[in-house]
């Protein structure tokens, strides 16, 4: 499943070919993905419009025009690729967006591909955005929220849920997937199973930079080019960072040499070092 770093990398790549350009046309090859595609509304808000901004909220890519916002989500297996032809080249191509200047020839085509169809293509007006079902309950962005330590500290008080599950809850903070939660807690020296409410302020001071470092390394490794980000195991981000604990159960801790332990928290694979993480 594409995680925050992959969606950020893809957004940057698409920004380079779409921002300041116009969506001249769109051809949909089906009416629905995970949900119905609002085809008429998408046309009225996006087609013929200049894209003023390409950005990301959680794992949604957003294309802003004066009329509204295009919403692209990759689901489990989705991708957007840039091509010089409008003809679908890959199986499971569900939409092709024609990109061009105001009056000129098309400069390229964005192909939305999603074999398992858990993704979304949607849209909303600027007024609808704050209360949109996709966005209204989301926590802050881990990379850009300025007072994230304070926020997480206050939010975690009296919470008995494991700190790892707390951080992976998108209603608390978005974009901290399983690999990143494991790696960030190792870097911060905090045991994943610790109740969130028992994490000290000092530890939260380490957890937040650890999350940011881990995500930034993955984004940096992913670069700004269009790429197929899924590895053979279907786990995202795997290629992108040197893993300290994730997937290393029974192997020696790179820091202390003790064996990395495994468990399951919230039914997700959890890896930690009992010596390095308290
Ligand atoms: Zn260790």
């Amino acid at each position: 499943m594409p995680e925050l770093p992959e969606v950020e990398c893809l957004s940057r790549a698409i920004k380079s070919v779409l921002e300041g350009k116009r969506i001249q046309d769109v051809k949909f090859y089906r009416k629905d993905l995970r949900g119905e595609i609002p085809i008429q509304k998408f046309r009225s808000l996006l087609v013929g419009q200049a894209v003023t901004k390409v950005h990301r909220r959680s794992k949604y890519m957003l294309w802003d025009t004066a009329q509204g916002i295009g919403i692209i989500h990759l689901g489990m297996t989705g991708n957007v690729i840039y091509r010089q032809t409008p003809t679908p080249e890959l199986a499971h191509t569900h939409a092709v967006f024609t990109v061009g200047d105001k009056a000129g020839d098309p400069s390229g085509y964005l192909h939305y591909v999603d074999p398992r169809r858990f993704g979304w293509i949607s849209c909303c007006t600027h007024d609808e955005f704050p209360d949109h079902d996709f966005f209204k309950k989301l926590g802050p962005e881990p990379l850009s929220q300025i007072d994230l330590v304070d926020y997480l500290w206050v939010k975690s008080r009296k919470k008995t849920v494991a700190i790892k599950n707390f951080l992976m809850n998108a209603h608390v903070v978005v974009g901290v997937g399983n690999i990143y939660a494991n790696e960030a807690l190792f870097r911060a020296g905090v045991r994943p199973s610790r109740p969130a409410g028992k994490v000290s302020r000092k530890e939260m001071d380490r957890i937040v930079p650890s999350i940011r470092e881990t995500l930034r390394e993955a984004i940096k490794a992913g670069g700004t080019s269009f790429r197929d980000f899924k590895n053979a195991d279907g786990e995202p981000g795997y290629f992108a960072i040197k893993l300290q604990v994730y997937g290393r159960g029974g192997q020696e801790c790179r820091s202390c040499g003790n064996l990395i332990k495994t468990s399951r928290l919230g039914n997700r694979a959890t890896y930690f070092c009992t010596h390095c993480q308290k």
Side-chain angles (χ1 to χ4, degrees):
M1 191 189 322
E3 295 273 0
L4 182 146
E6 289 80 9
V7 180
E8 178 65 23
C9 288
L10 184 64
S11 293
R12 291 180 187 185
I14 288 179
K15 182 186 178 85
S16 70
V17 298
L18 183 60
E19 204 171 273
K21 296 277 176 55
R22 234 158 249 270
I23 298 175
Q24 293 180 333
D25 198 5
V26 57
K27 184 168 174 60
F28 292 107
Y29 290 91
R30 50 182 306 124
K31 293 190 172 91
D32 59 346
L33 294 165
R34 185 163 177 182
E36 191 183 340
I37 301 170
I39 292 175
Q40 288 313 317
K41 188 173 179 181
F42 194 97
R43 287 187 178 284
S44 74
L45 297 182
L46 276 296
V47 173
Q49 300 290 321
V51 176
T52 54
K53 192 175 177 188
V54 174
H55 54 129
R56 177 189 60 72
R57 173 74 174 109
S58 186
K59 294 198 278 184
Y60 297 90
M61 183 166 34
L62 305 174
W63 300 348
D64 287 10
T65 71
Q67 301 299 317
I69 303 168
I71 302 166
I72 308 287
H73 191 279
L74 302 176
M76 306 282 283
T77 54
N79 202 358
V80 181
I81 55 175
Y82 189 59
R83 289 291 184 267
Q84 289 305 314
T85 171
T87 308
E89 293 178 327
L90 297 175
H92 313 292
T93 298
H94 305 309
V96 174
F97 306 90
T98 306
V99 180
D101 297 326
K102 187 173 182 179
D105 294 327
S107 52
Y109 302 86
L110 290 166
H111 294 218
Y112 180 95
V113 183
D114 184 8
R116 290 186 62 184
R117 300 201 307 266
F118 278 102
W120 296 89
I121 297 175
S122 193
C123 60
C124 65
T125 65
H126 292 284
D127 286 346
E128 288 166 342
F129 183 79
D131 288 324
H132 193 286
D133 283 346
F134 289 168
F135 307 109
K136 64 182 175 188
K137 288 182 179 162
L138 290 181
E141 289 287 328
L143 293 173
S144 55
Q145 182 76 16
I146 292 165
D147 57 353
L148 191 61
V149 174
D150 290 335
Y151 163 85
L152 288 176
W153 168 252
V154 170
K155 188 105 178 158
S156 61
R157 292 310 85 192
K158 297 186 177 157
K159 294 284 195 303
T160 55
V161 62
I163 183 66
K164 178 166 172 269
N165 297 359
F166 177 77
L167 296 172
M168 288 179 65
N169 181 350
H171 296 163
V172 172
V173 57
V174 302
V176 186
N178 193 38
I179 290 179
Y180 303 109
N182 274 294
E183 293 294 310
L185 286 169
F186 175 79
R187 291 180 191 213
V190 175
R191 195 79 61 89
S193 56
R194 285 264 303 284
K198 300 286 188 199
V199 169
S200 72
R201 171 73 199 208
K202 243 182 186 160
E203 288 169 327
M204 199 62 89
D205 281 338
R206 297 201 302 268
I207 288 172
V208 168
S210 296
I211 291 170
R212 288 178 168 161
E213 277 170 27
T214 309
L215 291 172
R216 285 197 181 113
E217 280 176 27
I219 290 168
K220 199 173 168 197
T224 54
S225 59
F226 291 88
R227 60 187 297 164
D228 182 2
F229 41 70
K230 290 184 293 296
N231 75 336
D233 301 329
E235 282 282 13
Y238 204 77
F239 67 94
I241 50 176
K242 183 171 168 60
L243 298 169
Q244 301 294 328
V245 286
Y246 184 85
R248 298 193 66 246
Q251 298 178 45
E252 287 180 6
C253 172
R254 298 192 204 279
S255 179
C256 75
N258 281 9
L259 300 185
I260 301 294
K261 293 272 195 297
T262 64
S263 70
R264 291 192 83 77
L265 277 176
N267 206 29
R268 301 302 301 271
T270 302
Y271 302 87
F272 56 98
C273 173
T274 52
H275 178 75
C276 296
Q277 292 170 267
K278 302 298 180 192

